[in-house]
Amino acid sequence: GTDGPRDAGDGNAESEHRSEHPPPQDNAPPQPNMGPAASQPYTTAGKLFIGGITGDTQETDLKDYFQSFGTLTDVVVMRDKMTGRGRGFGFVTFEDASVVERILGG
């Protein structure tokens, strides 16, 4: 009776739809409560996400560019563990967190 249509794939269709969305990033640190900055690139305590960089970009390239805005405490290019090639994004962290707001136009 009523069990047939309910078990005939509604759950599967829902699962397939959900699988189109990326899984939540459990390892990402919580974002600070910055109000309107939620629509800005991800930042925390002077840390700025840098996306859209080439696989050849080195930490020194990011440092050379971003140090003109303020003192950097950390520069990381995320790399593929197997090939060592850059994954197209990284992070720079400024000693003074207000530098990030200036860069973002805040």
Side-chain angles (χ1 to χ4, degrees), residues 5-49:
R6 205 171 81 217
D7 293 336
D10 289 345
N12 290 339
E14 250 181 70
S15 296
E16 287 172 17
H17 179 71
R18 283 190 199 125
S19 68
E20 294 173 12
H21 301 287
Q25 295 182 356
D26 295 332
N27 61 346
Q31 292 189 20
N33 184 8
M34 296 176 70
S39 63
Q40 298 289 338
Y42 172 78
T43 63
T44 183
K47 190 173 194 177
L48 182 64
F49 169 83

Side-chain angles (χ1 to χ4, degrees), residues 14 54 75 86 103:
E14 250 181 70
T54 67
V75 178
I103 291 172

Side-chain angles (χ1 to χ4, degrees), residues 5 10 13 18 28 33 41 47 50 52 71-72 97 99 102 104:
D10 289 345
R18 283 190 199 125
N33 184 8
K47 190 173 194 177
I50 310 299
T71 303
L72 294 166
V99 171
R102 285 201 319 265
L104 298 177

Side-chain angles (χ1 to χ4, degrees), residues 74-87:
D74 193 30
V75 178
V76 179
V77 171
M78 303 308 290
R79 302 188 179 284
D80 181 287
K81 291 180 183 181
M82 298 298 289
T83 66
R85 185 168 166 78
R87 294 175 55 199

